[in-house]
Amino acid sequence: MKSPWHGPTAARDRLALIWSLRDKRLSLWVALVGLVAAVLITLVWLAGRYEASQVQSTLERDTADAINDIRGGLMRDVQALQALQASHSTTTAWSAEAGGLLREHRAWLRVEWRDAQMQLRHHIDSPLRAPSFSKTPRSNVVNEFMQACQRARRSNGPAYSSSFFVPQDDGLGFEVMDMCLPLVVAGETVGYAITSYSLQEMLAEHLSPAFARRNEVSFTEPDGTRLAAMGQHGRGVRLFSAQQLLDLPGVTLVLRVDGRRGAPDLFPNILTALVIAMSIALVSVLVLLVKDSRRRLKAERELAEALAFRKAMEDSLVTGLRARDLQGRITYVNPAFCQMVGFEPAELLGRNAPMPYWPPEMVGEYQQRQAIRLAGNAPPREGYESVFMRKDGTRISVLIIEAPLINVLGQQTGWMSAFLDISEQRRVEEMSRASLERLQATARLATVGEMASLLSHELNQPLAAISSYANGSLNLLLNNMPGETTQTLADLHVAIERIAQQAGRAGKIINSVHDFVRRRDQDREAVTPQALIDAIMPLVQLQAHKLRVRVVIELEDHLPMVWCDRTMVEQVLLNLARNGMQAMDTPEMTHRVLKIQARRAASNVEHQWVELAVTDQGSGISSEVAAQLFTPFFTTKPEGMGLGLSLCRTVIEQHGGHLEFEALAARGTIFRFTLPVPQSPH
Ligand code: ADP
């Protein structure tokens, strides 16, 4: 039988499909992980870049501010100098005022007052430090301030000289820049005020200490030569640099600010930290997802394998399986069931009563049975037998075991049935029953054979009587005296009457045996125990007579009928009676009594029982004999067949009863067996 959902190929295809899905999912995962990694790296890089540009622009801004601060400071210096020149024309007053200014401005090294011909009228050095021009006389740098003053006169405003190095006594030195301010009176340049600045101190004076702590600030020439520097510190690795021109009349300086930023680095700022934290969270979620997906895949694989295993199991079962929903529709059949009834799954699935495999003559009964089942009545646990019809019309006997189909929520969703094809079993049973019957018949014939000798013995008497009456009658006829005719006729009448009597008796004896041998009623029927005993009595009596046994019958009052195969049970009784009588057939036994009893036996709710017992006072049964008593062909008698007891037990067990024996305390044995009482009166 082939169908899309049967067979190992389908299971293999399903597995292959699952594997290919798995591969596809794996590559999707790899792509996702790659993408997330790329996004994260880009984000971190961009955050770093952004942070760097932020730092850079802050630095640029700070540098521009610093330039403004310096420029403003220089402007204020010019104003202070102008005020000095304007208010003081005497050298003493000038000196006092200039000294005050020098004390206020630490960047000022010296203030000079020169006349229009550049001759020094007066000068004063900063009281805050040793005189700067002690080692190098001012005449050495005359060029620088001369040029500045010329420019100042031309522009009629302050002008600056280019910077120059002034060595000091301690072997060091610093860069100095002069500022020249022309003194103009009525449009005439009457002199110059010259201030010498230490570039280094200029930085210190005009820039805030905090700014200098954060950055390294320096003045350089446009070509990069460093002139003065402040706030040097070497910590940190990332260097940000900003430059701004300090464009002064006569000179251009470059203010360079180098900002070192330490530990930029993994967590340079909150944004980067945030991005990294989010990345870590994302990666963790990804890892968890991968783990979860792996677990799911494993569960899926196990489920697929379990499913394939279950399918293979169902497909290879020889037991037919069928599931029905609560409305009685078929929802599932396995291949074994389809094979059993000869229909394709498609012809069965979704079908409701009457099913195509119900024999037409049974539809009514089966429909009733299904209605009872769907009403919720649980079927017998041990199952029940039924007959189905194959597609070709042949009948099969099946054993059906049904159980409610319960889903995971514990609700009943239908019925599950298992089917066993018991046709073959039934056939074998029928055969064994037939052979048992044949065996019974043989045993009965054997009994009859035995009876024949008894018969000959029993028939001897009537036959001898008949013979003698016949001879006597013949003599009467031959020796008939004239005149005695009336007497002769009367005698003949008597003789012939006796002959008829004896012939009748012989006929009865023969008939009793004939009846026993001939009767073959297969069916079970309700019989009184009395009738069973009566039926075997003529035969029992035959043997009892010969063996000089007294047969006693004891029947309880108001015994119910028993439900049995009459012929078979009579045979059992006869066998037991015969065995009992034979057991008493020993010369020393003088008091030979065989008791046949019937009484009610202990009963349970389902069945009532009648017990029949045959008691002898014979030799008893030794333990060796007892061990083999029911073995076929076991006998201790020279002419015995050894079939009696084994057949007896089979017959009684077929009736649902049981056969047992017990040794009697005094002497002899009792054999008992039970027979069921019919459940309803027949
Ligand atoms: P058979 O009568 O042909 O020997 P059975 O199966 O009826 O076969 O009996 C088997 C044997 O059991 C007998 O040979 C006998 O030895 C023993 N047996 C049966 N019934 C009795 C009895 N009532 N008392 C003593 N022995 C018995």
Side-chain angles (χ1 to χ4, degrees), residues 18-43:
I18 287 166
W19 283 112
S20 80
L21 279 177
R22 200 188 109 106
D23 287 349
K24 208 168 177 181
R25 207 172 322 177
L26 198 71
S27 49
L28 274 177
W29 273 114
V30 169
L32 181 64
V33 168
L35 264 176
V36 167
V39 166
L40 289 182
I41 289 168
T42 314
L43 267 177

PDB file of all heavy atoms in Angstrom, residues 18-43:
ATOM      1  N   ILE A  18      14.104  19.111   7.066  1.00  0.00           N
ATOM      2  CA  ILE A  18      14.463  19.745   8.344  1.00  0.00           C
ATOM      3  C   ILE A  18      15.927  20.158   8.331  1.00  0.00           C
ATOM      4  O   ILE A  18      16.290  21.257   8.728  1.00  0.00           O
ATOM      5  CB  ILE A  18      14.169  18.775   9.503  1.00  0.00           C
ATOM      6  CG1 ILE A  18      12.663  18.698   9.704  1.00  0.00           C
ATOM      7  CG2 ILE A  18      14.850  19.229  10.791  1.00  0.00           C
ATOM      8  CD1 ILE A  18      12.201  17.568  10.549  1.00  0.00           C
ATOM      9  N   TRP A  19      16.791  19.275   7.755  1.00  0.00           N
ATOM     10  CA  TRP A  19      18.228  19.598   7.713  1.00  0.00           C
ATOM     11  C   TRP A  19      18.490  20.805   6.828  1.00  0.00           C
ATOM     12  O   TRP A  19      19.291  21.663   7.135  1.00  0.00           O
ATOM     13  CB  TRP A  19      19.029  18.397   7.242  1.00  0.00           C
ATOM     14  CG  TRP A  19      19.186  17.378   8.329  1.00  0.00           C
ATOM     15  CD1 TRP A  19      18.649  16.132   8.386  1.00  0.00           C
ATOM     16  CD2 TRP A  19      19.924  17.525   9.554  1.00  0.00           C
ATOM     17  NE1 TRP A  19      18.979  15.516   9.557  1.00  0.00           N
ATOM     18  CE2 TRP A  19      19.767  16.342  10.298  1.00  0.00           C
ATOM     19  CE3 TRP A  19      20.685  18.566  10.097  1.00  0.00           C
ATOM     20  CZ2 TRP A  19      20.345  16.157  11.534  1.00  0.00           C
ATOM     21  CZ3 TRP A  19      21.265  18.378  11.333  1.00  0.00           C
ATOM     22  CH2 TRP A  19      21.087  17.176  12.037  1.00  0.00           C
ATOM     23  N   SER A  20      17.792  20.857   5.665  1.00  0.00           N
ATOM     24  CA  SER A  20      18.045  21.982   4.752  1.00  0.00           C
ATOM     25  C   SER A  20      17.574  23.281   5.391  1.00  0.00           C
ATOM     26  O   SER A  20      18.207  24.313   5.276  1.00  0.00           O
ATOM     27  CB  SER A  20      17.373  21.735   3.400  1.00  0.00           C
ATOM     28  OG  SER A  20      16.009  22.043   3.499  1.00  0.00           O
ATOM     29  N   LEU A  21      16.445  23.227   6.096  1.00  0.00           N
ATOM     30  CA  LEU A  21      15.958  24.409   6.812  1.00  0.00           C
ATOM     31  C   LEU A  21      16.975  24.850   7.847  1.00  0.00           C
ATOM     32  O   LEU A  21      17.240  26.028   8.048  1.00  0.00           O
ATOM     33  CB  LEU A  21      14.638  24.085   7.518  1.00  0.00           C
ATOM     34  CG  LEU A  21      13.401  24.139   6.627  1.00  0.00           C
ATOM     35  CD1 LEU A  21      12.186  23.723   7.425  1.00  0.00           C
ATOM     36  CD2 LEU A  21      13.208  25.539   6.085  1.00  0.00           C
ATOM     37  N   ARG A  22      17.578  23.855   8.467  1.00  0.00           N
ATOM     38  CA  ARG A  22      18.564  24.123   9.509  1.00  0.00           C
ATOM     39  C   ARG A  22      19.773  24.844   8.914  1.00  0.00           C
ATOM     40  O   ARG A  22      20.256  25.833   9.456  1.00  0.00           O
ATOM     41  CB  ARG A  22      18.997  22.786  10.096  1.00  0.00           C
ATOM     42  CG  ARG A  22      19.620  22.879  11.454  1.00  0.00           C
ATOM     43  CD  ARG A  22      20.168  21.531  11.788  1.00  0.00           C
ATOM     44  NE  ARG A  22      21.624  21.630  11.735  1.00  0.00           N
ATOM     45  CZ  ARG A  22      22.367  21.654  12.812  1.00  0.00           C
ATOM     46  NH1 ARG A  22      21.832  21.571  13.989  1.00  0.00           N
ATOM     47  NH2 ARG A  22      23.674  21.749  12.713  1.00  0.00           N
ATOM     48  N   ASP A  23      20.257  24.374   7.730  1.00  0.00           N
ATOM     49  CA  ASP A  23      21.411  25.001   7.062  1.00  0.00           C
ATOM     50  C   ASP A  23      21.097  26.447   6.718  1.00  0.00           C
ATOM     51  O   ASP A  23      21.899  27.349   6.918  1.00  0.00           O
ATOM     52  CB  ASP A  23      21.766  24.232   5.778  1.00  0.00           C
ATOM     53  CG  ASP A  23      22.430  22.913   6.141  1.00  0.00           C
ATOM     54  OD1 ASP A  23      22.761  22.759   7.345  1.00  0.00           O
ATOM     55  OD2 ASP A  23      22.588  22.074   5.254  1.00  0.00           O
ATOM     56  N   LYS A  24      19.866  26.648   6.186  1.00  0.00           N
ATOM     57  CA  LYS A  24      19.460  27.976   5.770  1.00  0.00           C
ATOM     58  C   LYS A  24      19.463  28.906   6.988  1.00  0.00           C
ATOM     59  O   LYS A  24      19.966  30.014   6.940  1.00  0.00           O
ATOM     60  CB  LYS A  24      18.043  27.881   5.195  1.00  0.00           C
ATOM     61  CG  LYS A  24      17.732  28.921   4.171  1.00  0.00           C
ATOM     62  CD  LYS A  24      16.454  28.517   3.506  1.00  0.00           C
ATOM     63  CE  LYS A  24      15.974  29.494   2.515  1.00  0.00           C
ATOM     64  NZ  LYS A  24      14.719  29.043   1.940  1.00  0.00           N
ATOM     65  N   ARG A  25      18.913  28.395   8.086  1.00  0.00           N
ATOM     66  CA  ARG A  25      18.822  29.198   9.292  1.00  0.00           C
ATOM     67  C   ARG A  25      20.209  29.534   9.811  1.00  0.00           C
ATOM     68  O   ARG A  25      20.469  30.635  10.265  1.00  0.00           O
ATOM     69  CB  ARG A  25      18.050  28.409  10.344  1.00  0.00           C
ATOM     70  CG  ARG A  25      17.360  29.343  11.297  1.00  0.00           C
ATOM     71  CD  ARG A  25      16.445  28.629  12.208  1.00  0.00           C
ATOM     72  NE  ARG A  25      15.747  27.537  11.555  1.00  0.00           N
ATOM     73  CZ  ARG A  25      14.924  26.727  12.208  1.00  0.00           C
ATOM     74  NH1 ARG A  25      14.715  26.890  13.459  1.00  0.00           N
ATOM     75  NH2 ARG A  25      14.316  25.740  11.593  1.00  0.00           N
ATOM     76  N   LEU A  26      21.135  28.584   9.671  1.00  0.00           N
ATOM     77  CA  LEU A  26      22.501  28.790  10.147  1.00  0.00           C
ATOM     78  C   LEU A  26      23.138  29.950   9.389  1.00  0.00           C
ATOM     79  O   LEU A  26      23.746  30.853   9.976  1.00  0.00           O
ATOM     80  CB  LEU A  26      23.300  27.514   9.949  1.00  0.00           C
ATOM     81  CG  LEU A  26      24.576  27.435  10.761  1.00  0.00           C
ATOM     82  CD1 LEU A  26      24.230  27.236  12.234  1.00  0.00           C
ATOM     83  CD2 LEU A  26      25.458  26.303  10.278  1.00  0.00           C
ATOM     84  N   SER A  27      22.973  29.949   8.034  1.00  0.00           N
ATOM     85  CA  SER A  27      23.596  31.023   7.258  1.00  0.00           C
ATOM     86  C   SER A  27      22.948  32.367   7.580  1.00  0.00           C
ATOM     87  O   SER A  27      23.612  33.396   7.604  1.00  0.00           O
ATOM     88  CB  SER A  27      23.538  30.725   5.765  1.00  0.00           C
ATOM     89  OG  SER A  27      22.235  30.371   5.434  1.00  0.00           O
ATOM     90  N   LEU A  28      21.628  32.330   7.863  1.00  0.00           N
ATOM     91  CA  LEU A  28      20.956  33.572   8.265  1.00  0.00           C
ATOM     92  C   LEU A  28      21.543  34.112   9.554  1.00  0.00           C
ATOM     93  O   LEU A  28      21.790  35.308   9.704  1.00  0.00           O
ATOM     94  CB  LEU A  28      19.473  33.302   8.471  1.00  0.00           C
ATOM     95  CG  LEU A  28      18.619  33.393   7.214  1.00  0.00           C
ATOM     96  CD1 LEU A  28      17.183  33.044   7.536  1.00  0.00           C
ATOM     97  CD2 LEU A  28      18.690  34.798   6.637  1.00  0.00           C
ATOM     98  N   TRP A  29      21.802  33.193  10.466  1.00  0.00           N
ATOM     99  CA  TRP A  29      22.389  33.588  11.745  1.00  0.00           C
ATOM    100  C   TRP A  29      23.766  34.211  11.543  1.00  0.00           C
ATOM    101  O   TRP A  29      24.087  35.236  12.130  1.00  0.00           O
ATOM    102  CB  TRP A  29      22.501  32.389  12.683  1.00  0.00           C
ATOM    103  CG  TRP A  29      21.244  32.173  13.471  1.00  0.00           C
ATOM    104  CD1 TRP A  29      20.385  31.129  13.389  1.00  0.00           C
ATOM    105  CD2 TRP A  29      20.708  33.038  14.476  1.00  0.00           C
ATOM    106  NE1 TRP A  29      19.341  31.293  14.252  1.00  0.00           N
ATOM    107  CE2 TRP A  29      19.509  32.454  14.942  1.00  0.00           C
ATOM    108  CE3 TRP A  29      21.115  34.257  15.015  1.00  0.00           C
ATOM    109  CZ2 TRP A  29      18.735  33.041  15.917  1.00  0.00           C
ATOM    110  CZ3 TRP A  29      20.334  34.837  15.999  1.00  0.00           C
ATOM    111  CH2 TRP A  29      19.159  34.235  16.438  1.00  0.00           C
ATOM    112  N   VAL A  30      24.572  33.549  10.683  1.00  0.00           N
ATOM    113  CA  VAL A  30      25.928  34.055  10.434  1.00  0.00           C
ATOM    114  C   VAL A  30      25.842  35.465   9.863  1.00  0.00           C
ATOM    115  O   VAL A  30      26.554  36.384  10.294  1.00  0.00           O
ATOM    116  CB  VAL A  30      26.679  33.101   9.475  1.00  0.00           C
ATOM    117  CG1 VAL A  30      27.968  33.731   8.993  1.00  0.00           C
ATOM    118  CG2 VAL A  30      26.966  31.784  10.168  1.00  0.00           C
ATOM    119  N   ALA A  31      24.913  35.676   8.899  1.00  0.00           N
ATOM    120  CA  ALA A  31      24.746  36.999   8.294  1.00  0.00           C
ATOM    121  C   ALA A  31      24.343  38.014   9.351  1.00  0.00           C
ATOM    122  O   ALA A  31      24.879  39.131   9.395  1.00  0.00           O
ATOM    123  CB  ALA A  31      23.688  36.923   7.203  1.00  0.00           C
ATOM    124  N   LEU A  32      23.438  37.613  10.233  1.00  0.00           N
ATOM    125  CA  LEU A  32      22.952  38.529  11.271  1.00  0.00           C
ATOM    126  C   LEU A  32      24.083  38.919  12.208  1.00  0.00           C
ATOM    127  O   LEU A  32      24.288  40.113  12.492  1.00  0.00           O
ATOM    128  CB  LEU A  32      21.825  37.854  12.059  1.00  0.00           C
ATOM    129  CG  LEU A  32      21.206  38.718  13.152  1.00  0.00           C
ATOM    130  CD1 LEU A  32      20.521  39.932  12.553  1.00  0.00           C
ATOM    131  CD2 LEU A  32      20.203  37.924  13.968  1.00  0.00           C
ATOM    132  N   VAL A  33      24.856  37.922  12.613  1.00  0.00           N
ATOM    133  CA  VAL A  33      25.972  38.190  13.536  1.00  0.00           C
ATOM    134  C   VAL A  33      26.971  39.124  12.861  1.00  0.00           C
ATOM    135  O   VAL A  33      27.440  40.106  13.451  1.00  0.00           O
ATOM    136  CB  VAL A  33      26.643  36.866  13.956  1.00  0.00           C
ATOM    137  CG1 VAL A  33      27.960  37.131  14.671  1.00  0.00           C
ATOM    138  CG2 VAL A  33      25.716  36.066  14.861  1.00  0.00           C
ATOM    139  N   GLY A  34      27.269  38.868  11.570  1.00  0.00           N
ATOM    140  CA  GLY A  34      28.204  39.704  10.822  1.00  0.00           C
ATOM    141  C   GLY A  34      27.724  41.141  10.753  1.00  0.00           C
ATOM    142  O   GLY A  34      28.470  42.091  11.016  1.00  0.00           O
ATOM    143  N   LEU A  35      26.434  41.287  10.425  1.00  0.00           N
ATOM    144  CA  LEU A  35      25.859  42.627  10.294  1.00  0.00           C
ATOM    145  C   LEU A  35      25.923  43.383  11.607  1.00  0.00           C
ATOM    146  O   LEU A  35      26.356  44.546  11.655  1.00  0.00           O
ATOM    147  CB  LEU A  35      24.394  42.498   9.882  1.00  0.00           C
ATOM    148  CG  LEU A  35      24.127  42.607   8.397  1.00  0.00           C
ATOM    149  CD1 LEU A  35      22.665  42.372   8.111  1.00  0.00           C
ATOM    150  CD2 LEU A  35      24.530  44.001   7.916  1.00  0.00           C
ATOM    151  N   VAL A  36      25.527  42.694  12.680  1.00  0.00           N
ATOM    152  CA  VAL A  36      25.522  43.342  13.990  1.00  0.00           C
ATOM    153  C   VAL A  36      26.942  43.767  14.353  1.00  0.00           C
ATOM    154  O   VAL A  36      27.171  44.892  14.813  1.00  0.00           O
ATOM    155  CB  VAL A  36      24.924  42.395  15.054  1.00  0.00           C
ATOM    156  CG1 VAL A  36      25.205  42.920  16.450  1.00  0.00           C
ATOM    157  CG2 VAL A  36      23.426  42.279  14.842  1.00  0.00           C
ATOM    158  N   ALA A  37      27.930  42.884  14.078  1.00  0.00           N
ATOM    159  CA  ALA A  37      29.322  43.207  14.397  1.00  0.00           C
ATOM    160  C   ALA A  37      29.760  44.439  13.601  1.00  0.00           C
ATOM    161  O   ALA A  37      30.366  45.378  14.143  1.00  0.00           O
ATOM    162  CB  ALA A  37      30.212  42.018  14.087  1.00  0.00           C
ATOM    163  N   ALA A  38      29.403  44.475  12.291  1.00  0.00           N
ATOM    164  CA  ALA A  38      29.803  45.598  11.444  1.00  0.00           C
ATOM    165  C   ALA A  38      29.187  46.894  11.961  1.00  0.00           C
ATOM    166  O   ALA A  38      29.866  47.926  12.080  1.00  0.00           O
ATOM    167  CB  ALA A  38      29.361  45.334  10.006  1.00  0.00           C
ATOM    168  N   VAL A  39      27.888  46.834  12.313  1.00  0.00           N
ATOM    169  CA  VAL A  39      27.207  48.032  12.813  1.00  0.00           C
ATOM    170  C   VAL A  39      27.866  48.512  14.098  1.00  0.00           C
ATOM    171  O   VAL A  39      28.115  49.711  14.283  1.00  0.00           O
ATOM    172  CB  VAL A  39      25.704  47.718  13.041  1.00  0.00           C
ATOM    173  CG1 VAL A  39      25.047  48.805  13.877  1.00  0.00           C
ATOM    174  CG2 VAL A  39      24.992  47.588  11.711  1.00  0.00           C
ATOM    175  N   LEU A  40      28.180  47.539  14.973  1.00  0.00           N
ATOM    176  CA  LEU A  40      28.776  47.916  16.251  1.00  0.00           C
ATOM    177  C   LEU A  40      30.135  48.572  16.059  1.00  0.00           C
ATOM    178  O   LEU A  40      30.434  49.615  16.646  1.00  0.00           O
ATOM    179  CB  LEU A  40      28.913  46.688  17.153  1.00  0.00           C
ATOM    180  CG  LEU A  40      27.585  46.169  17.694  1.00  0.00           C
ATOM    181  CD1 LEU A  40      27.809  44.989  18.605  1.00  0.00           C
ATOM    182  CD2 LEU A  40      26.860  47.270  18.453  1.00  0.00           C
ATOM    183  N   ILE A  41      30.958  47.976  15.200  1.00  0.00           N
ATOM    184  CA  ILE A  41      32.308  48.516  14.973  1.00  0.00           C
ATOM    185  C   ILE A  41      32.193  49.928  14.401  1.00  0.00           C
ATOM    186  O   ILE A  41      32.852  50.869  14.842  1.00  0.00           O
ATOM    187  CB  ILE A  41      33.113  47.595  14.037  1.00  0.00           C
ATOM    188  CG1 ILE A  41      33.450  46.312  14.796  1.00  0.00           C
ATOM    189  CG2 ILE A  41      34.385  48.276  13.552  1.00  0.00           C
ATOM    190  CD1 ILE A  41      33.974  45.206  13.942  1.00  0.00           C
ATOM    191  N   THR A  42      31.277  50.094  13.418  1.00  0.00           N
ATOM    192  CA  THR A  42      31.091  51.411  12.818  1.00  0.00           C
ATOM    193  C   THR A  42      30.647  52.421  13.865  1.00  0.00           C
ATOM    194  O   THR A  42      31.144  53.555  13.912  1.00  0.00           O
ATOM    195  CB  THR A  42      30.024  51.325  11.699  1.00  0.00           C
ATOM    196  OG1 THR A  42      30.310  50.194  10.925  1.00  0.00           O
ATOM    197  CG2 THR A  42      30.016  52.561  10.844  1.00  0.00           C
ATOM    198  N   LEU A  43      29.715  51.989  14.716  1.00  0.00           N
ATOM    199  CA  LEU A  43      29.204  52.888  15.749  1.00  0.00           C
ATOM    200  C   LEU A  43      30.317  53.332  16.686  1.00  0.00           C
ATOM    201  O   LEU A  43      30.457  54.517  16.991  1.00  0.00           O
ATOM    202  CB  LEU A  43      28.113  52.174  16.554  1.00  0.00           C
ATOM    203  CG  LEU A  43      26.690  52.399  16.052  1.00  0.00           C
ATOM    204  CD1 LEU A  43      25.716  51.585  16.865  1.00  0.00           C
ATOM    205  CD2 LEU A  43      26.321  53.871  16.120  1.00  0.00           C
TER     206      LEU A  43
END
